[in-house]
Amino acid sequence: MRWTVSRTGLADTAGDLLVFPVFKKDDEADLKPLQSQTRGLQGGGPALSALIRKAGFSGQAESLLPVPCSGVKAGWILVVGLGKAKEVGLETLRKVAGLAAKRARTMKAARVLVQLPGTGAMGFDDRSFARCWVEGAELALAKIGELKTDKKKKEDFPRQGKFLATTARTKELREGMAEAQAYAAGCLFARHLVNLPPNILTPKEMAARARRMARTEGMTCRVLNVAQMKKLNMGGILGVGQGSRQEPRLIDLEYKAPGAAGRKAPSIVLVGKGITFDSGGISLKPGAGMDLMKSDMGGGAAVLGAALIASRLKLPVNLRVIVPTAENMPDGLAVKPADVITMASGKTVEVLNTDAEGRLILADALWYAGRGKPDFIIDAATLTGACVIALGEHFAGLMSNSATLIDALKQAGGETFERVWHLPLVDEHKKEVEGTWSDLKNLGNGREGGALTAAAFLAAFVDDDTPWAHIDIAGPAWSSSPRATGPKGGTGFGARLMARAVQILVS
Ligand code: BES
Ligand code: ZN
Ligand code: ZN
């Protein structure tokens, strides 16, 4: 959608639907602002308020009520409940904006006007309001099903958004809108990759799409092929990839801070798991639900999305994004349980379960990421079913050796609503992944604490003195049902979280 700011006033601005956010006050809709703004207009004022009350609209967060109003050019007012002013969070705005945008779509409204509420009462500024509103609407409107062959040309609604504002508020609104567009684009880029079927999004294709995105966004991207990874002895990525006819790749994308200050900007490496399909390999997964394993590249998609956001916002950071990508399949040449492989770092690993493949490809990628001694490393991965059992769909697990990263990611999670929950990373779990026949084994001793032993395994490939955080996004990468801010399927979880964390770390 195209978003602008208009100063014409609510009655006279051309549009198809006027969205009017309303607070709840003492268990009733606070209709005073609406009443005074529409006073004297045909179908407005006290008569309109009475109509809205009669319909039982209480201003409850996420409630919607369209009412006709001939006194405004748009003809329709969609009153949307924000809840009690003091309880409105940033995510409330995203959700309400998402629901309003979807209602505008069913009403076939091409041009949507949005009346600004008194943002002061909610405890945040106009910039945050515009940022969350636009982000919520853009995320909600994204569609799935582009591979359906029903070619009936569907018109797309809505196409334009317009905030109704006074002169004083336009600058802040414009900044918020631009930031939101970048965040939404990064998230949607990630979602789209997650939703693509694994026969289309192979490792090679993922690399090609990363390359194309890097080019259009003005970043550089290198892709290592099998021969190049062999030179680096990347036994983890090559080992996992050797069971598939689809060759593995290593995506190495770079965003440089603009300007002269760029050289002094902090260096951050984001690493994301890019398993385009996880069948489990020889330790084959059960058939039921195996299709979900097309989303096993969600971490890789998220870090690419984060890079897109960083570059659109021209963040003062030197960012590197590393995505090891492979397909985990059973085959005559596939890695077997009991195989011992040698990783790029030189460490040997006994593969006890070929379904614990994410940690193997990440081990090489983390080693590769650490070579240039960056200031921070963050990885995101759909790593363990154990994390899904522990935290469910709405929280990612966070394991880290750095208080700075834990704080930044918690704050970023709160603001983006891509929330993380801090879990332990301790010696007891590191002991569990010590090998019998090799340096390490790719399993803990049992299923207990599976997310923690997986993180402990990764820790063996990161320097103790490099601040590093591991985010297990196995739960939130995929949504089993539609939400206010998006359809079911890939969520793009992690792109906004990591971009925001980067912003916090460099500010
Ligand atoms: N990709 C899976 C983890 C996963 C599970 C992601 C559910 C999303 C939803 C991962 O590669 C895996 O299979 N992990 C195993 C590890 C086990 C063998 C130690 C698991 O969690 O069962
Ligand atoms: Zn697996
Ligand atoms: Zn996996």
Side-chain angles (χ1 to χ4, degrees):
M1 268 173 94
R2 226 168 52 81
W3 290 87
T4 51
V5 182
S6 164
R7 282 170 267 148
T8 325
L10 113 175
D12 303 318
T13 310
D16 305 303
L17 182 67
L18 167 61
V19 177
F20 203 110
V22 171
F23 292 118
K24 184 173 187 170
K25 201 173 169 186
D26 308 326
D27 288 324
E28 278 196 358
D30 179 6
L31 294 172
K32 268 201 220 101
L34 177 68
Q35 195 166 314
S36 67
Q37 295 239 40
T38 58
R39 194 180 300 279
L41 302 177
Q42 202 173 14
L48 180 62
S49 288
L51 186 77
I52 292 169
R53 277 199 212 293
K54 191 102 203 267
F57 180 83
S58 69
Q60 175 80 22
E62 300 178 46
S63 60
L64 307 177
L65 179 72
V67 283
C69 178
S70 52
V72 296
K73 267 200 173 164
W76 281 90
I77 298 181
L78 179 65
V79 284
V80 297
L82 291 174
K84 293 200 168 123
K86 286 210 168 58
E87 290 166 15
V88 179
L90 300 175
E91 186 69 3
T92 318
L93 293 181
R94 289 192 195 94
K95 283 186 182 159
V96 171
L99 293 168
K102 283 193 274 191
R103 183 62 69 92
R105 173 173 285 167
T106 50
M107 292 175 75
K108 296 195 187 302
R111 298 161 302 169
V112 174
L113 314 176
V114 181
Q115 175 65 39
L116 284 181
T119 47
M122 294 183 278
F124 40 78
D125 53 17
D126 288 349
R127 186 196 169 111
S128 307
F129 181 85
R131 167 145 162 29
C132 293
W133 193 277
V134 171
E135 191 176 299
E138 295 290 338
L139 293 180
L141 291 173
K143 284 194 232 158
I144 52 177
E146 66 181 57
L147 296 172
K148 290 181 195 278
T149 55
D150 176 8
K151 290 284 185 256
K152 255 186 273 151
K153 179 125 180 71
K154 286 194 197 81
E155 274 185 280
D156 218 10
F157 300 101
R159 290 187 286 270
Q160 278 177 40
K162 219 171 241 179
F163 288 104
L164 305 179
T166 55
T167 329
R169 302 171 85 169
T170 54
K171 185 175 167 277
E172 276 215 320
L173 290 171
R174 290 213 173 92
E175 285 168 1
M177 280 153 45
E179 208 177 5
Q181 295 279 20
Y183 269 79
C187 178
L188 294 178
F189 177 83
R191 263 192 208 173
H192 184 61
L193 290 189
V194 173
N195 287 333
L196 282 172
N199 61 326
I200 293 180
L201 195 80
T202 58
K204 226 170 112 183
E205 179 62 18
M206 190 164 183
R209 284 175 189 250
R211 230 190 202 132
R212 206 179 315 146
M213 186 273 283
R215 196 178 313 127
T216 38
E217 302 296 330
M219 297 185 278
T220 53
C221 182
R222 232 186 119 205
V223 176
L224 305 197
N225 61 22
V226 169
Q228 291 163 313
M229 288 192 281
K230 271 190 185 147
K231 280 203 188 110
L232 293 167
N233 303 311
M234 294 187 150
I237 304 172
L238 294 168
V240 172
Q242 80 191 37
S244 170
R245 296 273 291 270
Q246 304 290 348
E247 287 183 358
R249 293 285 185 269
L250 184 83
I251 302 165
D252 178 354
L253 185 147
E254 197 170 0
Y255 161 77
K256 283 210 166 75
R263 255 169 287 131
K264 278 186 274 150
S267 58
I268 302 181
V269 189
L270 305 178
V271 179
K273 172 177 173 181
I275 295 291
T276 58
F277 187 71
D278 182 11
S279 72
I282 296 297
S283 314
L284 196 64
K285 286 181 183 294
M290 203 199 268
D291 56 314
L292 179 66
M293 285 301 121
K294 72 171 181 178
S295 66
D296 211 18
M297 31 55 70
V303 294
L304 292 171
L308 190 155
I309 299 169
S311 93
R312 291 230 178 144
L313 295 178
K314 302 192 167 55
L315 298 186
V317 62
N318 290 310
L319 194 67
R320 195 92 179 267
V321 166
I322 313 292
V323 181
T325 172
E327 190 182 65
N328 189 24
M329 295 288 275
D331 177 74
L333 286 175
V335 168
K336 317 169 279 301
D339 278 5
V340 172
I341 57 179
T342 302
M343 316 296 274
S345 76
K347 287 189 175 153
T348 53
V349 175
E350 184 182 9
V351 181
L352 285 174
N353 188 319
T354 64
D355 197 11
E357 84 297 341
R359 64 197 75 182
L360 300 175
I361 66 167
L362 287 171
D364 283 345
L366 285 168
W367 167 83
Y368 185 80
R371 285 195 313 174
K373 294 261 169 248
D375 295 319
F376 299 101
I377 301 179
I378 303 173
D379 79 73
T382 48
L383 204 61
T384 66
C387 204
V388 189
I389 300 299
L391 299 176
E393 262 196 10
H394 298 285
F395 283 85
L398 167 64
M399 289 137 271
S400 177
N401 62 9
S402 154
T404 308
L405 280 176
I406 292 167
D407 288 347
L409 285 160
K410 275 191 188 166
Q411 188 193 330
E415 289 172 10
T416 57
F417 221 61
E418 293 191 333
R419 292 167 293 176
V420 294
W421 201 259
H422 183 202
L423 299 172
L425 174 71
V426 294
D427 288 344
E428 287 82 347
H429 300 128
K430 293 182 186 172
K431 269 238 144 4
E432 269 197 54
V433 294
E434 284 176 7
T436 315
W437 317 100
S438 52
D439 298 332
L440 295 151
K441 56 189 170 75
N442 78 335
L443 286 186
N445 292 335
R447 294 166 59 211
E448 297 83 359
L452 317 179
T453 47
F457 180 91
L458 298 181
F461 298 89
V462 181
D463 264 353
D464 285 335
D465 51 9
T466 302
W468 159 68
H470 159 62
I471 311 171
D472 193 331
I473 63 167
W478 185 267
S479 177
S480 50
S481 51
R483 298 179 186 169
T485 48
K488 73 171 181 185
T491 56
F493 185 100
R496 293 183 298 127
L497 167 69
M498 285 182 278
R500 185 68 198 129
V502 166
Q503 268 187 308
I504 292 166
L505 288 167
V506 303
S507 67

